[in-house]
Amino acid sequence: MEHVHLAAEEDDLYSGYNDYNPTFDSEELDNDAGFQQAVRTSHGRRPPMTAKFPGTAIGGRALGTSFGSRMPMASSMGRPMTGAVQDGAARPMTAVRAAGYSSAMTRGSTFDPLGQSKGPAPPLEGKSEDTPDEKVKILEKKVNDLIEESCLAHGHGDLQLSLDRAKEAGRKERALVRQREQSGNADHINLDLTYSVLFNLATQYANNDMYAEALNTYQVIVKNKMFSNAGRLKVNMANIHFKQKNYPKAIKLYRMALDQISNSHKEMRIKIMQNIGVVFIRMGQYSDAITSFEHIMSESPNIKTGFNLILCYYAIGDRERMKKAFQKLICVPLGIDEEDKYIPPNDDTHANLVIEAIKNDKLHQMERERKALAEKFIMTSAKLIAPAIEATFAAGFDWCVDMVKSSQYVELANDLEINKAITYLRQRDFKQVGAVETLKTFEKKDSRVKSAAATNLSFLYFLEKDYDQADRYADLAMTADRYNPAALINKGNTVFVKKDYEKAAEFYKEALRNDSSCTEALYNLGLTYKRLGRLEESLDCFLKLHAILRNSAQVMWQLANLFEMLEDPHQAIEWLMQLITVTPTDPQVLAKLGELYDSEGDKSQAFQYYQESFRYFPSNIDVIEWLGAYYIDTQFCEKAIQYFERATLIQPTQVKWQLMVASCYRRSGNYQKALETYKDIHRKFPENIECLRFLVRLCTDMGMKEVQDYATKLKKVEKMKEIREQRVKSAREGSARGTRREGSASSDSGHSSHGTSAKGERLSAKMRALPGSNEPYEASSQRDIDASYVDPLGAPMERPKTAAKKRNEDDDFADEELGDDLLPE
């Protein structure tokens, strides 16, 4: 052992080799009580053991000592023998076995200390799911999965599914709690999981407008003292009360939440105070709202709070504080990078690639949205306070423009000046010199401002019917910005009024390509197709427009008119029925419904809608004529009198209404009143033949002496009528002879002479209908009355034709709507 060099204690890899089992110590056997006991008893007289120890050099031979056969026994140290047989199973003597070597190697076996030659290890035994712990873990996983599914469903907009999943998660979580209690692990309940389930359920209740259930669920969380920071959820409860317009309760909960949030959470406290200020505005308590907003602007100013503060000052009429609040608003830092950051340098390729990647990323989009929101609030504030902070609107706007020019929003100054001019236009103050001059000053500015100003100038001149100037400024706006849909619409409008409908349609379609949501372009395109006779394409445009503007009365009217032109009265009636749900008091729509039902033969429905139209607008001659004729047809002449008397008041120079009144008296048997009415008509219209004929007839029937005078006047008037007709006939024949002479003198215009002759015949036909030079009123009305009074001897009077004037739907809306809403946003 003196030549053996031992390693350090911590690196002694062979320690224990000098140790030996005390069982083999024969020198101490005399002192071994266990051994001496075995010798004195029958254990010592047993036959020797033949235990074999595989894999050792002494396998197959009995282990003996100098005292003969020995049994393994405990040593004096109490340590069992290594090679002993315990519990009936043989165990190898590992203490004296070689490390990985055996005698079998001499018989050709391979070296395999890890036992890899025995094949793959058997599969691991699966864990049993019947144990309580495994059941708890499975239920927890199911609950978490349901919460996640609920959140995902809400993100996809499926609110009902998200609520169902939240309810199911709640049921699973309660089953999980019962499972823990049954297994005796009630102290190990997962409070975080319970909180997540309840919070998600309350949120989904609120999203589905089930506010009572949401409040009850939040109350369960808040009252449970085991949940930390549950008091913050009172903000959510206050939000629900705000939606329910229970403002005092909302303020109470907001303040309770504010008390439970420490000063270290500054941003959260600021948001809660902002909510409190908004609730005070809804309650009309502007002084309390001002207190909250002023505190926020002093601690952490932001755009929304500054805008709300201006609204409060405007509500109480504090002019000076409005100015100070506006100055604070334009000084609020936005916390965004300058736009110059996104301008790529020309010489650095790597920097260009980086800027190209980030110039439209989420961060830059958020910055643009924040800047656009700030500009919107500043513009709205300026337009709101401009008339209030100074004596005149113009002076107030000029002060706002000066303030903006000295702030970080310098580019907004031009927009404010354009809005100043647009405000004059919205007030229908088209003659305002300042508006036009302000817009004209932007002709030399940058393209964006120039395009906006030129668009408004074009619209202004279009309303004044100065179409040349409107066309000029529309071209200027298109040159500055070809993708400006408002400029393209104005250009299309100027072409439309010149009746170049094909070209106008091209401009409208280009505007739609630039902005597919431009409703003005789509409406005008539908009108253009209608003028071109392309009714199906026009119908398609208005159906698309109806999908965008569901309650537009003008769109519904156009659809009804198109179906009427397409000879589909049932669809036209359907659209008009939808229209009267939007405008139930429009007399023209009601009259059109009556006309369509009349054409379909449904007199009762027609009478109902004509009556409603007359109730809202009792001066429509067509409606009055139809109602009077309806009562005559139904033999209620007394009721027809009031309608024809109203027509007489509206058109006192039209003799036919007074004749209709007299005829109603005659038909109802009131001959004396009829005679007086005819005499009054004769005094006003002494040359009316129909009046004289009825006077002769009534005087004859009543045996009056005036019959001879009226008969003489009748003959005289009839003779004058014949003379006029002969003059018209001779003039027509002379013009026809002159036309034939011109045709015979032209040898090479045979077809032209035929056309001229036909045209002359048409002119002659028109001249037959023209009144004579001595007739006091038009003869065309006489034809209508002649048709009504075919038999003056008492035959039943025919109903006069209700040739109601067709409403020119194109003109009703084209001129009104072509230039509507063309102002830039």
Side-chain angles (χ1 to χ4, degrees), residues 255 258 261-263 265-278 280 286-302 304-306 308-310 312-313 321 325 328 332:
R255 286 176 171 170
L258 195 64
I261 295 176
S262 62
N263 293 328
H265 298 87
K266 182 179 179 182
E267 187 176 355
M268 175 67 79
R269 293 178 61 86
I270 289 296
K271 290 181 179 180
I272 295 175
M273 293 191 67
Q274 188 170 349
N275 287 0
I276 293 174
V278 172
F280 277 130
Y286 300 111
S287 299
D288 295 330
I290 288 172
T291 302
S292 297
F293 293 142
E294 284 181 343
H295 175 74
I296 296 172
M297 291 299 289
S298 62
E299 294 290 331
S300 177
N302 60 80
K304 287 185 179 181
T305 304
N308 289 334
L309 186 59
I310 291 176
C312 293
Y313 287 144
R321 295 169 82 179
K328 289 181 180 179
V332 172

Side-chain angles (χ1 to χ4, degrees), residues 690 765 768-770 778-789:
E690 295 299 327
R768 294 193 198 102
L770 294 175
E778 60 270 21
S780 59
S781 62
Q782 298 291 338
R783 289 184 302 161
D784 295 337
I785 297 174
D786 289 344
S788 303
Y789 303 94

Side-chain angles (χ1 to χ4, degrees), residues 211-245:
Y211 297 131
E213 292 83 353
L215 288 173
N216 292 335
T217 309
Y218 278 128
Q219 199 70 27
V220 171
I221 302 175
V222 172
K223 287 185 176 181
N224 194 334
K225 302 301 182 181
M226 300 179 68
F227 296 137
S228 59
N229 298 322
R232 296 185 180 186
L233 295 183
K234 290 182 180 179
V235 176
N236 295 18
M237 299 172 67
N239 292 340
I240 293 175
H241 285 295
F242 179 81
K243 291 179 182 178
Q244 294 178 327
K245 297 184 178 180

